[in-house]
Amino acid sequence: MSDMEYESEEEYEYTYSDEDESQASYSSHAMDDSASLEMETEVEEGSKKRKSRGRTSSLGDAVMKDTNGITMMNAKDILPMMKERINEVSEILNIPPSAATPLLRSHKWTKERLFESFTEDDGKIKKDAGVYHRCMPVSTEETNTCIICFESDISKEQMVGMPCGHSFCIECWKGHIQAKLDDGPSCIFAQCPYPKCEEVMTEVEVKKAAPELLEKYESYQLKQFVEVNGTSRWCPGPGCERVAALQNGSGLLDDSNLIVADCDSCKTKFCIKCGEEPHAPLLCRALDIWKEKCNNESETANWILANTKPCPKCRSRIEKNQGCNHMTCQKCKYEFCWICTGEWKEHGANTGGYYNCNKFAQEKNKDEDQSDAAKAKRELDRYLHYYSRYHAHSEAQKFASRQLADTEKKMVALQERRDNSTWTDVEFLKSANEQLVECRRVLKFTYAFGYYLTTPPKTVAPVEAVAKDEDSKKAKKKSKEDKQEEDKDEEPKPKTQQELQKERFEYHQEMLERFTENLSELVEKPLDDIDREAVVNQTIVVNRFMKGMIKYVEDGMEEGA
Amino acid sequence: MSGGSLPRRIVKETQRLIADPVAGISATPYADNLRYFAVAIEGPSDSCYEEGVFQLELFLPADYPMAPPKVRFLTKIYHPNVDKLGRICLDILKEKWSPALQIRTVLLSIQALMSAPNPDDPLDNTVADVWKNDEAKALETAREFTKNFAAKKE
């Protein structure tokens, strides 16, 4: 029986590749020749071998591959990196390390940036960073009175001075440092306690006056370094204190690709660029824009504009929730026509009948209604199309995550039910569920991506603009090659590059969606009906479609590039 | 709580305030709470608050002087940097506080703020708008408020 299902799975593949060839340039990454060969081999293996350890781990490795170039480390392991940068700047600019730290901080920890502005106007940047006097200390006034606590006769050893010449007693320093630490991360920007003095306090003063608070102070320095240096990010897992560091590449601000970090401690997967859950094929900027849009009240405003009209008499907003155009305002009882907002009394046989007033017909004849309400409604419908699917997959992702959590129990049950089966024999269920969660996540974001794929250029997400730029270059090259094939297709109107891309994208999306649903169905069956081979193979197939989808977008929506 | 162990700094500040008061400003601690002060500031001459006496309350929190004192107008005042509850928008009472500042310096700053209102950094937007668009009217209203709510008691 399992073989039967198997056949049908292969059918699917072949149907897919058939379509592939017939649709000219639709050759997909997921299904290029070598890939489909590989898949067949795995499929065979799957039906012959009972023990599936090898396959499961190869699937696991594939997911890990995304973490290339990322090292997970403890916060304290990143400290040498920070110290190295501080010491280098300190040596080159010939300033104390305690002055180098605030200077680097005010330049996002970029040495090059700092050196550049340093050569321009070192006085100004030293002042801005609050290290002017630290680079050129003034002599501290000899005093035995602390201007904070008013104590006099304080011994020299009990006074701690700032490079700006102001000094205070150790007790007051302790109070000042503690108060700043209580303010949280901003303590690293704390200034000299003297009124309006802008020289910053550093670890030097903390060490002298309150060594017991140095560790906490330095942990805030490190925290800021991790957050701002542009190559590292705290793991967003709850309570997790690991740091993900990007080993190469142009840093976190480069939005041209996606790199997923996989925390080795709490197992959280996240985008190292923005800290959100992995969101391929959408880039970080586009994700930002999409999320903002979804949260934004403006969609509500659009909806109101499209679906309601003010009563012509009392101006109350009225939503039309039935088909009839004869409206009666609930508030002022005025009766009017929804279409033309004219008084209902005037609607009769002479205006083309009650439900068919001539104004309606006129409007309908217009090809594209350009009124604000109609435009808003069109835009709203388009947004709702993508949002509803985004939302549906988001919910399905949550469901799959819950199911994944229950999988272990299911696996134990399954093992007990089937005699002589080992743990590895039931592990396929976990792999399948993990794959499902991931597919739902990718599918979710393909709908946000799809929404921006068709937005008119004016309001386009930046990602897309880049993609289009590349397209136009590539398009010129490709158009020659494509022309012949297009002619063969006998298409009345040659499609634009953008339309073709959209079609291909939607094709990938559709396939991924279809196979994800298949897998979902297979996994959700009652335990006794679960068909191991079918699940295992569907998992592999789905994984390929998912990667194919992402790769298609990563390659600039260019097939076979 | 802090009745017996008032920090030396607060004791000294209070002594100096009483021994060497600032012209036009008085600050007297309440007998039952030495961290709580009754403050009166005379409206600066040549300002729309001239001839008025403004009552304020000042409280020194437990972590004073590491944290700023809390000050509030009790007398109604028409000022763009003071809201209806009498709260004051002044940098040294917030992020620019320094433990080396004192009650004396704070009250002087408030008096200076009365001489030079800053409608560009308002706490009360409606008042600030009037101040920016029709200064004559704003000054007139402020004078009226001063007369009605801050008149010197004979």
Short mmCIF file of all heavy atoms in Angstrom, two decimals, chain A residues 6 9 13 30-31 35-36 38-47 52 54-56 58-60 62 428 431-432 435 439 512 515 519 522 532-548:
data_model
loop_
_atom_site.label_atom_id
_atom_site.label_comp_id
_atom_site.label_asym_id
_atom_site.label_seq_id
_atom_site.Cartn_x
_atom_site.Cartn_y
_atom_site.Cartn_z
N TYR A 6 3.53 5.76 -3.00
CA TYR A 6 4.83 6.13 -3.48
C TYR A 6 4.82 6.49 -4.94
O TYR A 6 5.33 7.50 -5.37
CB TYR A 6 5.74 4.93 -3.21
CG TYR A 6 6.85 5.52 -2.68
CD1 TYR A 6 6.67 6.75 -2.05
CD2 TYR A 6 8.09 5.01 -2.84
CE1 TYR A 6 7.71 7.39 -1.58
CE2 TYR A 6 9.13 5.67 -2.35
CZ TYR A 6 8.94 6.85 -1.73
OH TYR A 6 10.00 7.48 -1.28
N GLU A 9 3.47 9.71 -5.65
CA GLU A 9 4.39 10.80 -5.34
C GLU A 9 5.31 11.06 -6.51
O GLU A 9 5.59 12.18 -6.89
CB GLU A 9 5.24 10.41 -4.11
CG GLU A 9 5.09 11.35 -2.95
CD GLU A 9 3.69 11.82 -2.78
OE1 GLU A 9 2.83 11.08 -2.29
OE2 GLU A 9 3.44 12.97 -3.15
N GLU A 13 6.13 14.31 -9.21
CA GLU A 13 7.40 14.88 -9.66
C GLU A 13 7.40 14.99 -11.17
O GLU A 13 7.78 16.00 -11.73
CB GLU A 13 8.56 13.97 -9.25
CG GLU A 13 8.80 13.99 -7.75
CD GLU A 13 9.60 12.79 -7.34
OE1 GLU A 13 10.36 12.28 -8.18
OE2 GLU A 13 9.44 12.36 -6.20
N ALA A 30 14.67 23.50 -7.96
CA ALA A 30 14.38 22.34 -7.14
C ALA A 30 14.39 21.09 -8.02
O ALA A 30 14.70 20.01 -7.57
CB ALA A 30 13.03 22.49 -6.49
N MET A 31 14.03 21.28 -9.25
CA MET A 31 13.83 20.11 -10.08
C MET A 31 14.82 20.04 -11.23
O MET A 31 14.54 19.46 -12.25
CB MET A 31 12.41 20.12 -10.62
CG MET A 31 11.35 20.09 -9.53
SD MET A 31 11.56 18.70 -8.43
CE MET A 31 11.07 17.40 -9.54
N ALA A 35 19.15 17.33 -9.35
CA ALA A 35 18.35 17.30 -8.13
C ALA A 35 17.32 16.18 -8.18
O ALA A 35 17.16 15.43 -7.22
CB ALA A 35 17.66 18.63 -7.91
N SER A 36 16.64 16.05 -9.31
CA SER A 36 15.59 15.05 -9.35
C SER A 36 16.21 13.65 -9.32
O SER A 36 15.63 12.73 -8.77
CB SER A 36 14.72 15.23 -10.59
OG SER A 36 15.52 15.30 -11.73
N GLU A 38 18.92 12.85 -7.66
CA GLU A 38 19.24 12.63 -6.26
C GLU A 38 18.01 12.21 -5.50
O GLU A 38 18.03 11.31 -4.69
CB GLU A 38 19.73 13.95 -5.66
CG GLU A 38 21.22 13.97 -5.40
CD GLU A 38 21.60 15.28 -4.80
OE1 GLU A 38 21.17 15.57 -3.69
OE2 GLU A 38 22.32 16.01 -5.49
N MET A 39 16.94 12.89 -5.83
CA MET A 39 15.73 12.62 -5.10
C MET A 39 15.27 11.20 -5.33
O MET A 39 14.90 10.50 -4.41
CB MET A 39 14.65 13.59 -5.55
CG MET A 39 13.44 13.51 -4.65
SD MET A 39 12.14 14.48 -5.30
CE MET A 39 12.90 16.06 -5.32
N GLU A 40 15.36 10.76 -6.57
CA GLU A 40 14.93 9.40 -6.86
C GLU A 40 15.74 8.40 -6.06
O GLU A 40 15.21 7.45 -5.52
CB GLU A 40 15.07 9.11 -8.34
CG GLU A 40 13.85 9.58 -9.11
CD GLU A 40 14.07 9.48 -10.60
OE1 GLU A 40 14.58 8.44 -11.04
OE2 GLU A 40 13.75 10.45 -11.30
N THR A 41 17.07 8.67 -6.01
CA THR A 41 17.90 7.74 -5.26
C THR A 41 17.43 7.67 -3.83
O THR A 41 17.27 6.60 -3.27
CB THR A 41 19.37 8.20 -5.24
OG1 THR A 41 19.52 9.19 -6.23
CG2 THR A 41 20.28 7.04 -5.43
N GLU A 42 17.19 8.84 -3.27
CA GLU A 42 16.78 8.84 -1.87
C GLU A 42 15.44 8.16 -1.70
O GLU A 42 15.21 7.48 -0.72
CB GLU A 42 16.71 10.29 -1.35
CG GLU A 42 18.09 10.86 -1.16
CD GLU A 42 18.08 11.96 -0.14
OE1 GLU A 42 18.16 11.63 1.05
OE2 GLU A 42 17.99 13.12 -0.54
N VAL A 43 14.60 8.35 -2.68
CA VAL A 43 13.29 7.72 -2.62
C VAL A 43 13.45 6.21 -2.58
O VAL A 43 12.85 5.52 -1.77
CB VAL A 43 12.44 8.16 -3.82
CG1 VAL A 43 11.29 7.21 -4.03
CG2 VAL A 43 11.95 9.56 -3.62
N GLU A 44 14.34 5.73 -3.43
CA GLU A 44 14.53 4.27 -3.45
C GLU A 44 15.07 3.79 -2.13
O GLU A 44 14.58 2.85 -1.54
CB GLU A 44 15.51 3.90 -4.57
CG GLU A 44 14.79 3.64 -5.88
CD GLU A 44 15.79 3.44 -7.00
OE1 GLU A 44 16.83 2.80 -6.75
OE2 GLU A 44 15.53 3.96 -8.10
N GLU A 45 16.08 4.49 -1.68
CA GLU A 45 16.66 4.12 -0.40
C GLU A 45 15.58 4.03 0.66
O GLU A 45 15.54 3.10 1.43
CB GLU A 45 17.69 5.15 0.05
CG GLU A 45 19.08 4.85 -0.43
CD GLU A 45 20.02 5.96 -0.04
OE1 GLU A 45 19.87 6.46 1.08
OE2 GLU A 45 20.87 6.32 -0.86
N GLY A 46 14.74 5.01 0.60
CA GLY A 46 13.68 5.11 1.61
C GLY A 46 12.82 3.86 1.61
O GLY A 46 12.44 3.35 2.66
N SER A 47 12.53 3.33 0.45
CA SER A 47 11.62 2.19 0.42
C SER A 47 12.35 0.90 0.77
O SER A 47 11.73 -0.06 1.20
CB SER A 47 10.96 2.09 -0.95
OG SER A 47 11.96 2.07 -1.94
N SER A 52 16.54 4.70 9.12
CA SER A 52 16.61 5.95 8.36
C SER A 52 17.57 6.96 8.97
O SER A 52 17.49 8.13 8.72
CB SER A 52 15.22 6.58 8.29
OG SER A 52 14.83 6.91 9.60
N GLY A 54 20.69 7.74 8.51
CA GLY A 54 21.46 8.55 7.54
C GLY A 54 20.64 9.68 6.98
O GLY A 54 21.06 10.82 6.95
N ARG A 55 19.45 9.38 6.56
CA ARG A 55 18.64 10.39 5.89
C ARG A 55 18.27 11.53 6.82
O ARG A 55 18.38 12.69 6.49
CB ARG A 55 17.38 9.75 5.33
CG ARG A 55 16.50 10.77 4.67
CD ARG A 55 15.68 10.19 3.55
NE ARG A 55 15.96 8.80 3.28
CZ ARG A 55 15.33 7.82 3.88
NH1 ARG A 55 14.41 8.06 4.76
NH2 ARG A 55 15.61 6.59 3.58
N THR A 56 17.87 11.14 8.02
CA THR A 56 17.44 12.17 8.96
C THR A 56 18.56 13.17 9.21
O THR A 56 18.36 14.36 9.20
CB THR A 56 17.02 11.54 10.30
OG1 THR A 56 16.52 10.26 10.04
CG2 THR A 56 16.01 12.39 11.00
N SER A 58 21.06 13.83 7.30
CA SER A 58 21.38 14.65 6.13
C SER A 58 20.39 15.81 6.01
O SER A 58 20.74 16.91 5.61
CB SER A 58 21.37 13.80 4.87
OG SER A 58 20.07 13.67 4.38
N LEU A 59 19.16 15.53 6.39
CA LEU A 59 18.17 16.62 6.41
C LEU A 59 18.58 17.69 7.41
O LEU A 59 18.55 18.87 7.14
CB LEU A 59 16.82 16.04 6.85
CG LEU A 59 15.73 16.00 5.79
CD1 LEU A 59 14.47 15.46 6.42
CD2 LEU A 59 15.50 17.35 5.17
N GLY A 60 18.99 17.19 8.60
CA GLY A 60 19.42 18.11 9.65
C GLY A 60 20.57 18.98 9.18
O GLY A 60 20.55 20.18 9.33
N ALA A 62 21.34 19.85 6.27
CA ALA A 62 20.92 20.81 5.25
C ALA A 62 20.40 22.09 5.91
O ALA A 62 20.67 23.19 5.46
CB ALA A 62 19.82 20.20 4.40
N PHE A 428 11.47 9.85 12.20
CA PHE A 428 10.99 10.53 10.97
C PHE A 428 9.86 11.50 11.28
O PHE A 428 9.69 12.51 10.61
CB PHE A 428 10.53 9.50 9.94
CG PHE A 428 9.22 8.85 10.28
CD1 PHE A 428 8.02 9.35 9.76
CD2 PHE A 428 9.16 7.74 11.12
CE1 PHE A 428 6.80 8.76 10.07
CE2 PHE A 428 7.95 7.14 11.43
CZ PHE A 428 6.78 7.65 10.92
N SER A 431 11.32 14.83 12.29
CA SER A 431 11.86 15.53 11.12
C SER A 431 10.73 16.13 10.30
O SER A 431 10.82 17.27 9.83
CB SER A 431 12.64 14.57 10.23
OG SER A 431 13.62 13.93 10.99
N ALA A 432 9.68 15.33 10.13
CA ALA A 432 8.56 15.80 9.31
C ALA A 432 7.92 17.04 9.93
O ALA A 432 7.61 18.02 9.25
CB ALA A 432 7.53 14.69 9.16
N GLN A 435 10.10 20.05 9.58
CA GLN A 435 10.01 20.52 8.20
C GLN A 435 8.72 21.32 8.00
O GLN A 435 8.70 22.36 7.35
CB GLN A 435 10.05 19.32 7.25
CG GLN A 435 10.11 19.68 5.79
CD GLN A 435 11.37 20.48 5.48
OE1 GLN A 435 12.48 20.05 5.74
NE2 GLN A 435 11.21 21.67 4.93
N CYS A 439 8.34 25.08 6.67
CA CYS A 439 7.62 25.38 5.42
C CYS A 439 6.52 26.41 5.65
O CYS A 439 6.32 27.30 4.84
CB CYS A 439 6.99 24.11 4.85
SG CYS A 439 8.18 23.06 4.06
N LEU A 512 5.05 24.59 -3.41
CA LEU A 512 5.45 24.44 -2.01
C LEU A 512 4.20 24.30 -1.13
O LEU A 512 4.15 23.47 -0.23
CB LEU A 512 6.28 25.65 -1.55
CG LEU A 512 6.71 25.63 -0.08
CD1 LEU A 512 7.53 24.38 0.23
CD2 LEU A 512 7.51 26.88 0.26
N PHE A 515 2.57 20.76 -1.62
CA PHE A 515 3.27 19.64 -0.98
C PHE A 515 3.29 19.79 0.53
O PHE A 515 3.31 18.81 1.25
CB PHE A 515 4.68 19.51 -1.56
CG PHE A 515 4.67 18.84 -2.90
CD1 PHE A 515 4.59 19.58 -4.07
CD2 PHE A 515 4.67 17.45 -2.99
CE1 PHE A 515 4.54 18.96 -5.30
CE2 PHE A 515 4.62 16.82 -4.23
CZ PHE A 515 4.56 17.57 -5.40
N LEU A 519 1.97 16.98 3.17
CA LEU A 519 2.73 16.50 4.32
C LEU A 519 1.93 16.69 5.60
O LEU A 519 1.85 15.80 6.45
CB LEU A 519 4.07 17.23 4.41
CG LEU A 519 5.00 16.79 5.55
CD1 LEU A 519 5.34 15.31 5.43
CD2 LEU A 519 6.27 17.63 5.58
N LEU A 522 -0.58 13.98 5.89
CA LEU A 522 0.01 12.69 6.21
C LEU A 522 0.38 12.59 7.68
O LEU A 522 0.19 11.57 8.33
CB LEU A 522 1.28 12.48 5.36
CG LEU A 522 1.07 12.18 3.88
CD1 LEU A 522 2.41 12.11 3.17
CD2 LEU A 522 0.31 10.87 3.70
N ARG A 532 4.92 5.50 7.18
CA ARG A 532 6.26 5.99 7.39
C ARG A 532 6.95 6.42 6.09
O ARG A 532 7.46 7.53 5.97
CB ARG A 532 7.09 4.92 8.09
CG ARG A 532 8.46 5.39 8.47
CD ARG A 532 9.15 4.33 9.31
NE ARG A 532 10.55 4.66 9.46
CZ ARG A 532 11.46 4.42 8.54
NH1 ARG A 532 11.11 3.86 7.40
NH2 ARG A 532 12.72 4.76 8.74
N GLU A 533 6.93 5.54 5.11
CA GLU A 533 7.63 5.85 3.87
C GLU A 533 7.08 7.13 3.24
O GLU A 533 7.83 7.98 2.77
CB GLU A 533 7.49 4.71 2.86
CG GLU A 533 8.71 3.84 2.81
CD GLU A 533 8.55 2.64 3.72
OE1 GLU A 533 8.04 1.63 3.25
OE2 GLU A 533 8.91 2.74 4.91
N ALA A 534 5.77 7.19 3.22
CA ALA A 534 5.16 8.36 2.58
C ALA A 534 5.59 9.64 3.29
O ALA A 534 5.95 10.62 2.64
CB ALA A 534 3.64 8.23 2.61
N VAL A 535 5.60 9.59 4.61
CA VAL A 535 5.98 10.78 5.37
C VAL A 535 7.44 11.12 5.10
O VAL A 535 7.79 12.28 4.82
CB VAL A 535 5.73 10.57 6.88
CG1 VAL A 535 6.35 11.71 7.69
CG2 VAL A 535 4.24 10.48 7.16
N VAL A 536 8.29 10.12 5.18
CA VAL A 536 9.72 10.35 4.97
C VAL A 536 9.98 10.98 3.62
O VAL A 536 10.70 11.97 3.48
CB VAL A 536 10.51 9.03 5.11
CG1 VAL A 536 11.92 9.18 4.56
CG2 VAL A 536 10.55 8.60 6.57
N ASN A 537 9.37 10.42 2.60
CA ASN A 537 9.65 10.92 1.27
C ASN A 537 9.01 12.27 1.01
O ASN A 537 9.62 13.14 0.39
CB ASN A 537 9.19 9.91 0.22
CG ASN A 537 10.15 8.72 0.21
OD1 ASN A 537 11.30 8.86 -0.19
ND2 ASN A 537 9.70 7.59 0.72
N GLN A 538 7.83 12.45 1.54
CA GLN A 538 7.18 13.74 1.38
C GLN A 538 8.01 14.83 2.08
O GLN A 538 8.12 15.94 1.60
CB GLN A 538 5.77 13.69 1.99
CG GLN A 538 4.88 14.83 1.57
CD GLN A 538 4.42 14.71 0.12
OE1 GLN A 538 4.66 13.72 -0.54
NE2 GLN A 538 3.77 15.74 -0.39
N THR A 539 8.64 14.45 3.20
CA THR A 539 9.48 15.41 3.92
C THR A 539 10.64 15.86 3.03
O THR A 539 10.95 17.05 2.94
CB THR A 539 10.03 14.77 5.22
OG1 THR A 539 8.94 14.29 5.98
CG2 THR A 539 10.80 15.79 6.04
N ILE A 540 11.25 14.87 2.36
CA ILE A 540 12.38 15.21 1.49
C ILE A 540 11.93 16.08 0.32
O ILE A 540 12.55 17.09 -0.02
CB ILE A 540 13.04 13.92 0.97
CG1 ILE A 540 13.63 13.16 2.15
CG2 ILE A 540 14.12 14.25 -0.05
CD1 ILE A 540 13.97 11.73 1.82
N VAL A 541 10.82 15.69 -0.26
CA VAL A 541 10.31 16.44 -1.41
C VAL A 541 10.00 17.88 -1.02
O VAL A 541 10.41 18.83 -1.68
CB VAL A 541 9.04 15.75 -1.96
CG1 VAL A 541 8.39 16.63 -3.03
CG2 VAL A 541 9.37 14.39 -2.54
N VAL A 542 9.32 18.03 0.11
CA VAL A 542 8.93 19.35 0.56
C VAL A 542 10.16 20.21 0.85
O VAL A 542 10.21 21.39 0.50
CB VAL A 542 8.03 19.23 1.81
CG1 VAL A 542 7.99 20.52 2.59
CG2 VAL A 542 6.62 18.85 1.40
N ASN A 543 11.16 19.59 1.44
CA ASN A 543 12.40 20.31 1.74
C ASN A 543 13.02 20.86 0.47
O ASN A 543 13.51 21.98 0.42
CB ASN A 543 13.36 19.37 2.46
CG ASN A 543 14.65 20.08 2.85
OD1 ASN A 543 15.63 20.03 2.12
ND2 ASN A 543 14.63 20.75 3.99
N ARG A 544 12.96 20.08 -0.59
CA ARG A 544 13.52 20.54 -1.86
C ARG A 544 12.74 21.71 -2.44
O ARG A 544 13.30 22.67 -2.94
CB ARG A 544 13.53 19.39 -2.88
CG ARG A 544 14.65 18.47 -2.63
CD ARG A 544 14.98 17.62 -3.84
NE ARG A 544 15.87 16.56 -3.39
CZ ARG A 544 17.14 16.74 -3.13
NH1 ARG A 544 17.67 17.93 -3.29
NH2 ARG A 544 17.88 15.75 -2.70
N PHE A 545 11.44 21.59 -2.35
CA PHE A 545 10.61 22.69 -2.87
C PHE A 545 10.87 23.97 -2.09
O PHE A 545 10.94 25.05 -2.65
CB PHE A 545 9.12 22.32 -2.79
CG PHE A 545 8.67 21.52 -3.97
CD1 PHE A 545 8.32 20.19 -3.85
CD2 PHE A 545 8.61 22.11 -5.23
CE1 PHE A 545 7.92 19.46 -4.95
CE2 PHE A 545 8.21 21.38 -6.33
CZ PHE A 545 7.86 20.05 -6.18
N MET A 546 11.04 23.80 -0.78
CA MET A 546 11.26 24.98 0.05
C MET A 546 12.57 25.65 -0.32
O MET A 546 12.64 26.86 -0.50
CB MET A 546 11.28 24.57 1.52
CG MET A 546 11.29 25.73 2.47
SD MET A 546 11.57 25.18 4.14
CE MET A 546 13.32 24.89 4.10
N LYS A 547 13.60 24.84 -0.48
CA LYS A 547 14.90 25.42 -0.83
C LYS A 547 14.86 26.02 -2.22
O LYS A 547 15.47 27.05 -2.48
CB LYS A 547 15.98 24.35 -0.75
CG LYS A 547 16.36 24.05 0.67
CD LYS A 547 17.50 23.07 0.68
CE LYS A 547 17.76 22.59 2.09
NZ LYS A 547 18.32 21.24 2.05
N GLY A 548 14.14 25.32 -3.11
CA GLY A 548 14.02 25.82 -4.48
C GLY A 548 13.37 27.19 -4.49
O GLY A 548 13.82 28.11 -5.18
#
